[in-house]
Amino acid sequence: MELSKINRVFFVGVGGIGMSALARYFAKRGQLVFGYDKTRTRLTETLENEGILITYNDEISSLPETFLNPQEDTLVVYTPAIPKNSKILNHFRDLDFTLKKRSEVLGIISKGMFCIGIAGTHGKTTTSSIVAHILTDTGYGCTAFLGGIASNYNSNVLYGDNNVVVVEADEYDRSFLTLHPDIAVITSMDADHLDIYGDKSQLEESFRLYASQLKDEGKLYVHEGLPLGNSTTYAASLTANAKAINLRVEGAKFVFDYADDYHRIENISLMLPGKHNVENTTVAIAIALQLGINPEKVKQAVANFKGVKRRFEYIVNNESQIYIDDYAHHPEELKACFDAVRQLYPEQKLTVIFQPHLFTRTRDFANDFASVLSTADELLLLDIYPARELPLEGIDAQFLLDKITLSNKRVMGKEAVIQYVKDEKPELILTVGAGDIDTIIEPLKNILNNA
């Protein structure tokens, strides 16, 4: 299906972060956009305020007349997170509408464009957002589809006037194999989504296939240490091709120098904490320099990058309390997040509120989760967020809690957590998880701001 022939688009699961970016894109192009989602959220309300029509009723009767019968100019986009028994989804399937996954639509949009694809089991949202910000802030320009809300723009989609597109390439369900990038980045290949891949070797093979889809004369950047040849490496390491060196903390910011065979930029200031974010920024700088952007402009753009919502986001930051929220939901992400907190606040007691995401992920990485969570000073563990999964016998929050060696730990519901914070007012709080833990952010913020 060609982009120019699409006039009407229906999104099944429009409230997803990736789906909503596409919905905004098509609405911006002037197409009729309609969507369905199970629940109303702050994001779906924002979409409605932007003119996108949304139903929260999974019934054919809730569909507008224009989507009752298939037409050549009509596209239906769906996410694998939608249950297979969805009445709306099956209506479109039964009547032979043109159905595409989000990743396939990104392939359609990016076809014929200069595509920068950012992949990795973690780090891809922040990295793609930094790349898109540098290109936008320096005036180079780009269209971008992001897996988070970039704080500088309060959006997950950017619109450019040139032929460049930045895409977050998702490995889930091998979705990124619909892309053929001119520049590709692989930030990490840690075992994840084992419900899809079975084992780490199959996951790594998919990343190799993604790398092989690079266009002729394209360039591949990989984090140093990943088993991928024919690439330019990057890291906070003296041996990488593109490197962050002289890394230090000054005030509440991380400062470093960038160096490669042709460039050196000194005293780069980054609002985002943590070595992992310095490395994400390093590859973004390398890409910008490859595109010929002025190094001083790149440095200025990095300095004013405000980050991504729910990626080490300060919710409260005053003399008596600090509250940080992060999307981390894999052991390696948790470790990187905890390390950044400890670097910034080494003397303060760290209270972690964690919501495990998926029964299979909790089961597959239980020991790794336990090892990282045991390094907190206090742990409040929420029940597992099921997302697309049904419960697994014996796999619950208590199963994980029993493996954690920390003595100050407990399983709590969200209301109990809110009450606990109200009573105890911990000095340093970190909420982490990819489920609906974000629903307690505002209550906690209000409590701490009025303490």
Side-chain angles (χ1 to χ4, degrees), residues 240-280:
N241 301 127
K243 57 189 71 102
I245 55 178
N246 298 330
L247 175 61
R248 64 266 191 201
V249 177
E250 294 182 1
K253 295 183 179 180
F254 277 59
V255 181
F256 65 99
D257 301 341
Y258 171 89
D260 61 29
D261 289 343
Y262 307 100
H263 307 89
R264 184 177 179 107
I265 308 174
E266 296 184 341
N267 302 317
I268 300 169
S269 179
L270 179 67
M271 293 185 197
L272 304 187
K275 176 185 172 185
H276 61 300
N277 281 321
V278 169
E279 294 184 323
N280 294 336

Side-chain angles (χ1 to χ4, degrees), residues 41 74 91 97 128 145-146 191 193 225 235 270 299 350 360 371-372 390 401 411 413 444 449:
T41 65
T74 301
H91 160 77
F97 276 76
S128 57
F145 298 93
L146 310 173
H193 304 303
L270 179 67
K299 179 179 177 180
L350 173 60
T360 53
S371 177
V372 179
L390 295 173
L401 192 78
V411 174
L444 296 185
N449 277 335

Side-chain angles (χ1 to χ4, degrees), residues 121 171 190-195 197 203 329-330 333 361 365:
T121 47
E171 77 280 359
D190 294 302
D192 199 5
H193 304 303
L194 298 187
D195 55 322
Y197 287 100
L203 176 81
H329 56 283
H330 182 281
E333 295 170 343
R361 183 181 282 124
F365 303 107

Side-chain angles (χ1 to χ4, degrees), residues 6 90 98 143 166 231 358 372 378:
I6 300 171
N90 283 311
T98 301
T143 296
V166 178
S231 60
L358 297 178
V372 179
E378 179 178 38

Side-chain angles (χ1 to χ4, degrees), residues 149-179:
I149 304 297
S151 296
N152 290 74
Y153 311 97
N154 198 31
S155 181
N156 52 353
V157 59
L158 303 181
Y159 310 99
D161 295 326
N162 59 10
N163 199 40
V164 177
V165 61
V166 178
V167 176
E168 181 173 325
D170 192 359
E171 77 280 359
Y172 175 74
D173 201 24
R174 300 176 174 84
S175 293
F176 55 7
L177 298 184
T178 61
L179 299 172

Side-chain angles (χ1 to χ4, degrees), residues 236-397:
S237 159
L238 291 174
T239 54
N241 301 127
K243 57 189 71 102
I245 55 178
N246 298 330
L247 175 61
R248 64 266 191 201
V249 177
E250 294 182 1
K253 295 183 179 180
F254 277 59
V255 181
F256 65 99
D257 301 341
Y258 171 89
D260 61 29
D261 289 343
Y262 307 100
H263 307 89
R264 184 177 179 107
I265 308 174
E266 296 184 341
N267 302 317
I268 300 169
S269 179
L270 179 67
M271 293 185 197
L272 304 187
K275 176 185 172 185
H276 61 300
N277 281 321
V278 169
E279 294 184 323
N280 294 336
T281 306
T282 298
V283 70
I285 292 171
I287 290 170
L289 295 175
Q290 181 189 331
L291 295 175
I293 300 175
N294 178 278
E296 189 58 36
K297 286 187 176 181
V298 172
K299 179 179 177 180
Q300 292 171 6
V302 170
N304 65 44
F305 178 65
K306 297 177 183 177
V308 182
K309 299 289 186 184
R310 298 219 64 226
R311 268 65 174 187
F312 212 95
E313 181 182 7
Y314 280 91
I315 307 299
V316 176
N317 188 2
N318 58 45
E319 290 183 1
S320 56
Q321 259 103 26
I322 295 167
Y323 171 23
I324 298 164
D325 177 58
D326 196 274
Y327 190 71
H329 56 283
H330 182 281
E332 289 298 322
E333 295 170 343
L334 287 177
K335 184 177 185 303
C337 182
F338 285 18
D339 287 348
V341 173
R342 295 297 195 189
Q343 283 179 283
L344 290 171
Y345 309 105
E347 303 300 325
Q348 291 177 266
K349 177 186 175 183
L350 173 60
T351 297
V352 172
I353 304 167
F354 176 57
Q355 182 185 49
H357 185 263
L358 297 178
F359 297 104
T360 53
R361 183 181 282 124
T362 305
R363 176 199 63 196
D364 294 340
F365 303 107
N367 291 334
D368 295 326
F369 276 123
S371 177
V372 179
L373 292 169
S374 295
T375 65
D377 297 310
E378 179 178 38
L379 175 66
L380 310 180
L381 187 64
L382 296 173
D383 289 329
I384 297 171
Y385 184 77
R388 57 187 177 269
E389 295 184 337
L390 295 173
L392 293 175
E393 186 176 353
I395 306 299
D396 56 18

Side-chain angles (χ1 to χ4, degrees), residues 1-2 21 23 55 61 78 161 173 205 229 281 352 356 358 372 390 404 417 438:
M1 194 172 197
E2 293 181 20
T55 179
S61 60
Y78 72 100
D161 295 326
D173 201 24
E205 179 59 26
T281 306
V352 172
L358 297 178
V372 179
L390 295 173
I404 295 167
V417 166
D438 60 328

Side-chain angles (χ1 to χ4, degrees), residues 390-437:
L390 295 173
L392 293 175
E393 186 176 353
I395 306 299
D396 56 18
Q398 188 63 47
F399 158 79
L400 179 57
L401 192 78
D402 290 342
K403 291 178 174 290
I404 295 167
T405 59
L406 177 69
S407 58
N408 194 359
K409 61 179 181 178
R410 68 206 76 183
V411 174
M412 301 180 79
K414 283 184 281 189
E415 290 302 320
V417 166
I418 292 170
Q419 186 61 49
Y420 180 86
V421 171
K422 186 175 183 179
D423 293 339
E424 300 297 327
K425 297 179 180 58
E427 61 178 348
L428 176 59
I429 299 176
L430 174 65
T431 50
V432 272
D436 62 359
I437 191 172

